[in-house]
Amino acid sequence: MGEPLMPWQRWVLDVALEIDPSTGHFFYREVRIALPRQQGKTTAVKTRALFQALAWAKQRIVYTAQSRNMARQRLEEDFYDPISASVLAATLARTSGDKPGFRAQAGSEHISFINRSGWWIDAVTKKSGHGPSLDLGLIDEAFAHVDSRIEQAMRPAMMQRPNAQLWVLSTAGDGDSLYWRQKVDDLRDRIASGAESRVAGFEWSADDDADPDDPEVWRSVMPAYGVILRDAIYGPRGEVIEPELVAAGEDLVRAERDSMDEDDFRRAFLNQWVDKKATQGIIAFEPWKACTVPDNDPDVWTGDPLWAIDVSPYRDSVSIAMAGAPALADRRTFAEVVTRLEDTRNAVGTLVKLRTDHGGNIVAVDGTGAAGSLIPDLEEAGFEVIQFGQRDKVAACGSFYDAVYEGSFSHMNDPLLNDAVLSARKRDIGDGAWVFTRRGLNDITPLYAVLLARWAWIKERTDDYDIADSLG
């Protein structure tokens, strides 16, 4: 399109699109890019999506931003308009209207190409990404997502596509950016371990104690520093004009720094998480992560499972979890989320199938919550139902909290459970008692299903626990 790639963009694309010689397909299934604002992220996204759309026929690409309106604006102004004004306009589908290849009807906005590939947008809802097979998922401005629902919706649609990739891109977020914070922390751990991974990660960020007013700090963390003004970058043959670049970069960043609050500048232009305490709920990330079962552990639990089910107040989310005896000698309990459903219609049927496949006939339910309505159907299906009241719910929450911080609990690092645990808050219910509650629209049914399964397992399978230990 007549727009040369900056060095960082070319490097990211070269690495992200590496081929696995044993399969002939992309080596990396996921790409994460953490970088400051105004560094040319949009051009990298556009280039990546165009490559997918034009390299193969009938490709399906889905792009999301912090809102559907923003995604639509970018689809038209940042992606379609430059394509239609370039030599690549010949690759757009021959549709009627003022903008060939662009459909603007609300709910079906997309760019279509002559090879029948399509570039769509989607909103961030529980049903986002559901539908036909997906070849490229682009989650832009990931800091705006409070949980992983968009990723969890996209991944199943990518499973049968050999060259499918998920790209997640953003600058640092704030106290509500739980999804992106977990992605960044996990990326740093992968890099530190040095182990081979199918996740490609790129991060440009300043150290916590970096001077936000030092141009050398800006230069070290902004990959487009000095190459932001395109007219000042390239000569008539595309060569980089170095002297003008540095001055242009410093002037622009200085203007932003002078007009912004220090914390806002650190987040936006140094890619720093300046509000770290706000990103943690009642359970912090570090102790929760320490409870993760090692990736190379093939057997994480033994014996018959004990099931639990929890339903959200509006009945639009149902989580089913199991608990069992942990295989790790230094852990006392193990539990995990088995599945999450979008309504209660097949909840009992799902538990029946799980019982058939894995055994276990006991189901724990919060009798004071929305899942209580399922008790008659569960009993009719032959389950032994353990119905917990408020006192047990308080004890289950306290026991779960204690187990995480003492390191005696184990889990599988499931994004659904991670989101629920790290976003949960404490609600006092009087006399020093408390229970977990959700923040905003966050779904914490995975947390309650797990802690109820764990609590039922302790009461049914162990005889060395004193309820007073968790009531205070």
Side-chain angles (χ1 to χ4, degrees), residues 206-457:
D207 293 337
D208 291 343
D209 59 353
D211 182 358
D213 297 308
D214 185 354
E216 290 304 314
V217 172
W218 305 343
R219 187 193 307 277
S220 70
V221 300
M222 299 181 189
Y225 186 83
V227 292
I228 299 174
L229 291 178
R230 297 207 173 275
D231 291 341
I233 301 170
Y234 302 104
R237 294 177 299 279
E239 71 272 18
V240 176
I241 307 174
E242 292 291 350
E244 295 182 36
L245 297 182
V246 176
E250 183 171 337
D251 288 346
L252 284 174
V253 179
R254 177 67 65 188
E256 295 288 352
R257 175 66 185 98
D258 292 343
S259 64
M260 297 178 69
D261 171 84
E262 180 175 318
D263 283 352
D264 291 340
F265 179 81
R266 285 182 177 275
R267 187 181 75 82
F269 288 95
L270 302 186
N271 197 28
Q272 292 178 317
W273 294 83
V274 297
D275 194 14
K276 292 183 178 179
K277 292 182 179 179
T279 65
Q280 298 182 345
I282 182 174
I283 294 179
F285 177 79
E286 288 76 12
W288 175 247
K289 182 185 175 184
C291 293
T292 303
V293 175
D295 291 340
N296 59 358
D297 195 336
D299 300 310
V300 295
W301 61 278
T302 62
D304 290 331
L306 192 152
W307 307 102
I309 185 168
D310 193 58
V311 179
S312 64
Y314 292 101
R315 311 186 72 80
D316 59 350
S317 182
V318 179
S319 291
I320 297 175
M322 60 76 58
L328 295 176
D330 61 340
R331 307 296 173 89
R332 187 162 177 264
T333 52
F334 169 85
E336 67 173 327
V337 178
V338 179
T339 188
R340 184 170 68 174
L341 309 174
E342 294 182 353
D343 53 54
T344 60
R345 287 177 295 180
N346 196 37
V348 175
T350 299
L351 277 165
V352 169
K353 186 177 187 307
L354 289 170
R355 178 178 60 187
T356 301
D357 293 342
H358 304 286
N361 194 52
I362 298 176
V363 180
V365 176
D366 174 12
T368 68
S373 64
L374 300 177
I375 292 175
D377 291 337
L378 288 168
E379 292 177 336
E380 185 177 347
F383 285 102
E384 178 185 345
V385 179
I386 299 178
Q387 185 177 170
F388 288 138
Q390 186 78 328
R391 180 176 173 82
D392 267 307
K393 187 175 177 180
V394 170
C397 290
S399 175
F400 183 82
Y401 177 91
D402 292 342
V404 170
Y405 275 89
E406 69 186 17
S408 64
F409 177 67
S410 55
H411 64 89
M412 293 292 293
N413 198 29
D414 178 5
L416 288 176
L417 183 58
N418 293 346
D419 288 342
V421 169
L422 298 177
S423 65
R425 295 295 183 263
K426 183 169 73 172
R427 178 168 65 88
D428 293 322
I429 59 175
D431 296 327
W434 62 269
V435 295
F436 289 109
T437 188
R438 67 180 183 174
R439 178 179 59 183
L441 298 178
N442 292 67
D443 179 20
I444 60 171
T445 60
L447 167 59
Y448 265 106
V450 161
L451 68 85
L452 290 175
R454 176 186 172 277
W455 183 241
W457 189 86

Side-chain angles (χ1 to χ4, degrees), residues 93-123:
R94 304 293 188 264
T95 58
S96 60
D98 296 336
K99 294 193 170 187
F102 185 78
R103 182 178 179 86
Q105 182 177 341
S108 62
E109 304 97 323
H110 68 280
I111 301 171
S112 56
F113 299 86
I114 57 175
N115 66 353
R116 299 177 66 184
S117 291
W119 184 351
W120 302 73
I121 63 169
D122 209 347

Side-chain angles (χ1 to χ4, degrees), residues 1 3 8 38 147 172 201 210 221 282 298 342 382 417 470:
M1 290 182 287
E3 185 177 350
W8 82 264
Q38 298 184 11
D147 58 32
V221 300
I282 182 174
E342 294 182 353
L417 183 58
S470 294

Side-chain angles (χ1 to χ4, degrees), residues 8-245:
W8 82 264
Q9 295 166 335
R10 182 176 296 279
W11 176 56
V12 166
L13 289 164
D14 284 347
V15 174
L17 301 181
E18 287 179 356
I19 300 298
D20 184 344
S22 65
T23 64
H25 303 309
F26 293 140
F27 183 86
Y28 300 107
R29 294 288 286 186
E30 181 178 339
V31 179
R32 302 176 195 169
I33 304 175
L35 79 170
R37 291 196 175 280
Q38 298 184 11
Q39 302 303 300
K41 174 168 56 70
T42 299
T43 297
V45 169
K46 179 172 56 182
T47 303
R48 175 64 187 94
L50 276 172
F51 176 76
Q52 190 80 33
L54 301 179
W56 300 276
K58 299 180 181 179
Q59 299 293 290
R60 185 168 183 265
I61 301 158
V62 172
Y63 172 84
T64 71
Q66 58 264 57
S67 68
R68 188 181 187 91
N69 287 338
M70 179 60 72
R72 186 202 181 284
Q73 180 180 346
R74 288 186 176 169
L75 185 72
E76 182 174 8
E77 298 179 2
D78 296 335
F79 304 140
Y80 174 82
D81 286 349
I83 295 171
S84 64
S86 74
V87 294
L88 293 180
T91 67
L92 295 170
R94 304 293 188 264
T95 58
S96 60
D98 296 336
K99 294 193 170 187
F102 185 78
R103 182 178 179 86
Q105 182 177 341
S108 62
E109 304 97 323
H110 68 280
I111 301 171
S112 56
F113 299 86
I114 57 175
N115 66 353
R116 299 177 66 184
S117 291
W119 184 351
W120 302 73
I121 63 169
D122 209 347
V124 183
T125 67
K126 288 185 179 179
K127 298 178 185 282
S128 297
H130 284 295
S133 295
L134 181 61
D135 298 284
L136 177 62
L138 299 163
I139 303 178
D140 197 3
E141 305 294 5
F143 77 87
H145 303 331
V146 297
D147 58 32
S148 63
R149 69 183 63 186
I150 182 64
E151 178 178 333
Q152 293 302 314
M154 284 183 172
R155 283 196 178 277
M158 303 170 72
M159 291 182 62
Q160 302 302 318
R161 306 297 283 180
N163 271 323
Q165 275 191 339
L166 175 69
W167 279 47
V168 190
L169 314 90
S170 187
T171 189
D174 56 22
D176 293 322
S177 306
L178 297 170
Y179 168 68
W180 183 232
R181 183 58 190 266
Q182 292 170 38
K183 285 283 188 183
V184 172
D185 286 340
D186 176 72
L187 175 61
R188 292 172 178 175
D189 289 341
R190 288 174 184 267
I191 294 173
S193 72
E196 183 177 282
S197 172
R198 295 284 175 165
V199 176
F202 308 87
E203 180 181 4
W204 289 267
S205 60
D207 293 337
D208 291 343
D209 59 353
D211 182 358
D213 297 308
D214 185 354
E216 290 304 314
V217 172
W218 305 343
R219 187 193 307 277
S220 70
V221 300
M222 299 181 189
Y225 186 83
V227 292
I228 299 174
L229 291 178
R230 297 207 173 275
D231 291 341
I233 301 170
Y234 302 104
R237 294 177 299 279
E239 71 272 18
V240 176
I241 307 174
E242 292 291 350
E244 295 182 36
L245 297 182

